[in-house]
Amino acid sequence: MLSRNLLKQILSFILVLGATSFAGVVYSQDSSKTGNTTDSKIRNIDGVAAVVNTGYVTRKEIDDRIIALQKQGVKLPDADNLRKLVLERLIIEKIQLQNAEQEGIVVTNKELEKIIGDIAAKNKLSYAEFKARIIATGMTFERYKQTLREDIILSRYRERAVEAKIKISDAEVDNFISERMRAMVGGGEQRSASPAKGGSEEIDVAQIFIPVDTGAGASIQAEAKKQAEALLRDAKGDVDFLQLGAAAAKANPKIKFQDLGYRSPDRLPQLFYEAIRNTGGGQVANAVVKSPAGYHVLKVLDRRVISAAPAQQAGSQESIPTTPQNIPITQTMSRHILLKNRAGLTDQDAERRLQGYRDQVRAKTADFAELAKKYSEDGSAPNGGNLGWMGPGDLVPEFEQAMNRLQIGEVSNPVKSEFGWHLIQVLERREAQLTVEKQREFARAAIRERKFEQAYQDWIRELRDTATVKILNAEDAANAALR
């Protein structure tokens, strides 16, 4: 569940939404007016906010989506900008659904029923109990099924379309593996130094990221930039950068912070490398970086040179393998208790609950595995939270970094990731071999991850630019008669 694999993340997101009330798609129109084609008559279609190719988005859809966001306890912009942002998101979704239909992407009734059954089981409910819980939220079960069906279709279409745009050559994989091998066997690391001529440099970069949705209005963009610039000013002071990021994320859960780890320049996003090209170790980038996904505050934690071994400097290349070979790695067996992100559970509540479980384990008044079986919201719960043997890159960065800092038997403080809040305990560690085949799988996954965000943003812009969209009376809420 903690794999970086995109499909697993999408399915995890669907499972989280499956137990909550979220916006459905309801089409409302005045049938006596749909035949009119002039702008003035189109504007009189009751409830239509935008015409999208051959379909449309209603004001009721906007209202429903806003209500769903409010129920989730998400920090929202002002009402006017929120409606514009939600409308733009619905337009993008409408375009994707239309294209998916044209490409024949469908979810059959039998398949949908199986998925709902799996969601119910994940929430430890029978099908009937899960149906009753959905109805109790005020949503009809048929509407829930239609919304879930569309979510799955959107996920499959996005995965197919974006994956098709990502091209990874064998040469890229070979170069990625070669860099890792040179880094591991080259030796002679020098910290906080500039690379010598012909030397190979690695840079440890951390970021605080403020996301901005595609199509966000100027005021939302300006507010995000203002917030990023304020964080940049704070980061230039005498503060711990990651602690600053953690505090910002606690105040606004949409903000992300992470240590990217040591990467060669070609493994960093080009925007990042250009911003920190001349920034020394321990220094913050001079300016906020704007990407298609939002605003980034960057700090170079360290720079190091992977210098050649003495034999190489004398002209010998024998110390660096020229053919792929197995690489020794450390694998860790750990277990965890997961509290998923969901409506009604604040970060403070999740952190407090997990801290209580940690205190019980440390005081030996409770067993970690039993607590995981009882309280964890992950598929590993029946196994006491045990995740099995995991190697580098198998887990999301926040989880892996926290796990690697633990001694055997030690229990972490609560850790936040994209999936929710975790309490982690390390059980064992062992040395293993990363085979050449696994190295190539890892290299492809890492390269794909690096390319995915840019490919996704390019794809969204392409969809929007090629669609025929006409915004109508989107600012007003739906009429009382439509509710």
Side-chain angles (χ1 to χ4, degrees), residues 417-432:
S417 82
E418 62 195 87
F419 296 104
W421 283 88
H422 312 259
L423 194 67
I424 309 166
Q425 184 179 41
V426 169
L427 300 176
E428 296 181 60
R429 285 196 174 93
R430 70 182 183 188
E431 298 303 313

Side-chain angles (χ1 to χ4, degrees), residues 328-333 388-392 408 426-433:
I329 60 169
T330 299
Q331 291 182 322
T332 303
M333 179 181 287
W389 289 105
M390 294 289 176
I408 293 176
V426 169
L427 300 176
E428 296 181 60
R429 285 196 174 93
R430 70 182 183 188
E431 298 303 313
Q433 294 286 323

Side-chain angles (χ1 to χ4, degrees), residues 68-80:
L69 291 170
Q70 291 169 338
K71 286 182 177 179
Q72 292 173 19
V74 179
K75 186 177 181 180
L76 302 173
D78 62 86
D80 289 342

Side-chain angles (χ1 to χ4, degrees), residues 112-169:
L112 184 63
E113 290 297 321
K114 184 181 184 305
I115 291 171
I116 293 174
D118 291 341
I119 293 173
K122 287 287 185 181
N123 286 278
K124 299 179 176 62
L125 298 170
S126 68
Y127 188 100
E129 290 171 334
F130 183 70
K131 179 178 179 179
R133 182 168 293 188
I134 292 297
I135 294 172
T137 67
M139 175 186 289
T140 67
F141 197 58
E142 285 305 312
R143 183 177 173 190
Y144 166 79
K145 289 167 68 175
Q146 178 62 22
T147 305
L148 179 60
R149 187 194 302 272
E150 292 181 353
D151 282 341
I152 298 167
I153 289 172
L154 285 172
S155 296
R156 291 177 179 176
Y157 175 57
R158 289 166 184 161
E159 183 185 16
R160 177 194 292 185
V162 178
E163 284 290 330
K165 291 181 174 293
I166 299 175
K167 307 298 182 184
I168 302 172
S169 68

